[in-house]
Amino acid sequence: MERLTALYPAAGNPFRAQEMVAYMKGVAPFLGIRTPERRVLSRTVLAGTPRPGEDDCAAVALRCFALPEREYHYFAVDYLRRHVKRCSSGFLPVARRLVATVSWWDTVDHLAAHVVGGLVAADPGLAAEMDVWIDDADPWTARTALLHQLRFKGDTDADRLFSYCLRRAADTDFFLRKAIGWSLREYAKTAPGEVRAFVADNRSLFSPLSVREALKHL
């Protein structure tokens, strides 16, 4: 953390930071570091550090998310993506806390597909927690449930995916409607016929955005 909080600010660009804040609708302040530069800096930050345990992953992620600038949150997400296999199912509450912290698609989607999804893939018993998350009043938590199987391909629980889409079909939130379509579009790469039939049978329940996204490549 000492290296991180020394190297990142030194590489910041205040003019670029203003552009990033505007692009991300003011969700958080930025230092103004482009992703390629940030990842080079991250390698320097992590050079010589040992492989983390689950407690280390939690500590780093929570401390990064407690800092205001968005690049620190990105560092935490990258760190967790790299080390999620070192975390047990007991890490899920930490992941949920991160999803609900300064929530926006730029962090939530990576946490959903790579961290929460990785935890569920390693422990299918956690799918029961996703059944709770999908009905959460926080749309970002529900979006995470919708997207957690994005990388599952042939291991996707189609019944659960379709059920989740139907449970949030009437929602007016843009990001939930988009997530419904995205999750179906991704599964369509594995089972196009199933997705096409599901959308056809339930088209009247979904928003035009969800339908358009789901059928984008079909």
Side-chain angles (χ1 to χ4, degrees):
M1 292 302 298
E2 289 178 2
R3 285 192 209 175
L4 179 64
T5 53
L7 288 174
Y8 267 31
N13 181 314
F15 298 104
R16 194 179 301 133
Q18 292 177 10
E19 295 174 352
M20 292 176 168
V21 168
Y23 178 71
M24 286 299 170
K25 309 296 185 184
V27 68
F30 279 78
L31 294 168
I33 310 172
R34 291 196 178 100
T35 297
E37 301 168 49
R38 179 174 56 77
R39 288 184 171 154
V40 169
L41 290 170
S42 295
R43 287 196 288 272
T44 301
V45 170
L46 294 170
T49 58
R51 290 184 178 181
E54 183 174 325
D55 289 345
D56 301 314
C57 289
V60 168
L62 292 172
R63 288 180 68 183
C64 283
F65 267 76
L67 296 170
E69 290 83 10
R70 199 58 161 172
E71 287 90 343
Y72 295 120
H73 308 168
Y74 295 159
F75 177 89
V77 172
D78 287 348
Y79 190 74
L80 293 180
R81 285 182 60 171
R82 182 178 179 183
H83 297 297
V84 66
K85 290 184 178 180
R86 305 184 67 81
C87 297
S88 73
S89 56
F91 192 79
L92 191 63
V94 177
R96 181 169 185 168
R97 180 173 169 183
L98 298 176
V99 165
T101 302
V102 196
S103 305
W104 200 241
W105 61 265
D106 56 336
T107 55
V108 169
D109 293 357
H110 290 291
L111 290 168
H114 297 279
V115 180
V116 174
L119 294 171
V120 176
D123 180 4
L126 291 180
E129 288 297 316
M130 298 298 99
D131 294 343
V132 176
W133 288 27
I134 189 60
D135 293 320
D136 200 276
D138 171 31
W140 296 105
T141 301
R143 181 177 168 98
T144 299
L146 279 164
L147 299 180
H148 83 276
Q149 295 193 85
L150 274 185
R151 301 173 69 242
F152 283 24
K153 298 182 180 179
D155 293 326
T156 299
D157 183 333
D159 290 340
R160 180 168 267 113
L161 170 62
F162 293 158
S163 170
Y164 286 6
C165 291
L166 290 172
R167 281 155 73 171
R168 302 306 300 229
D171 216 295
T172 59
D173 182 85
F174 170 83
F175 289 102
L176 282 176
R177 288 181 167 186
K178 188 88 169 179
I180 289 169
W182 183 13
S183 62
L184 292 172
R185 183 175 77 243
E186 193 65 24
Y187 185 50
K189 296 176 182 178
T190 298
E194 286 185 45
V195 171
R196 191 181 292 110
F198 172 72
V199 173
D201 289 345
N202 299 282
R203 193 181 192 111
S204 63
L205 301 175
F206 294 118
S207 70
L209 172 61
S210 296
V211 172
R212 185 168 62 251
E213 289 293 320
L215 301 181
K216 200 168 189 176
H217 302 303
L218 292 177

